[in-house]
Amino acid sequence: MEQDEALQLAVAFLADSQRDDEPPLDIDAEGVRASNGLLIVPYNSVQYLASRDAREQLLDCWPILVDLARGEVRFGTLDERHLWRNTSA
C-alpha cells in the first residue's frame, strides 16, 4: 500500500473515531512517517496544530498506525510506544 493511500485511511479512521465531547482533531502532517512496515500518523487538536502552543496540546494522543502491507488501521498501544518515540528509526 502506498503511503498516500494509508494516510487517507488514517484520516477516515480519525474522523470515525472522533467523539462528540472531544475538541476537533486533525492529523499532524509534520509527524507522519513510515517505520517497521507501519505508517505512524500522529494527530492532535486542530487548535494545537494551528498554534503549536503547548498549552493547547492534547496529552493522551496515541498515534494511528496503518499496516502498509495489510491496510489495517488502529490506534497504537502502550506496548508499541517505542515505535513513535524512537525518532532515529
Side-chain angles (χ1 to χ4, degrees):
M1 167 176 291
E2 295 294 323
Q3 288 187 21
D4 289 344
E5 183 182 5
L7 183 57
Q8 289 179 12
L9 290 174
V11 168
F13 180 82
L14 181 61
D16 290 343
S17 301
Q18 175 96 41
R19 296 188 329 243
D20 291 339
D21 63 342
E22 292 177 319
L25 303 174
D26 201 2
I27 299 300
D28 184 354
E30 292 179 16
V32 174
R33 65 185 178 87
S35 178
N36 298 317
L38 298 169
L39 189 66
I40 300 169
V41 184
Y43 65 94
N44 216 302
S45 72
V46 170
Q47 189 169 359
Y48 168 74
L49 294 173
S51 69
R52 297 291 176 172
D53 183 339
R55 293 173 293 184
E56 304 295 337
Q57 185 174 13
L58 299 178
L59 298 177
D60 193 18
C61 290
W62 302 104
I64 298 166
L65 304 179
V66 183
D67 186 306
L68 293 170
R70 295 187 298 259
E72 296 173 353
V73 185
R74 61 186 174 76
F75 288 110
T77 66
L78 182 59
D79 292 340
E80 296 168 315
R81 192 169 188 209
H82 66 280
L83 295 173
W84 58 87
R85 291 294 181 197
N86 182 3
T87 57
S88 63

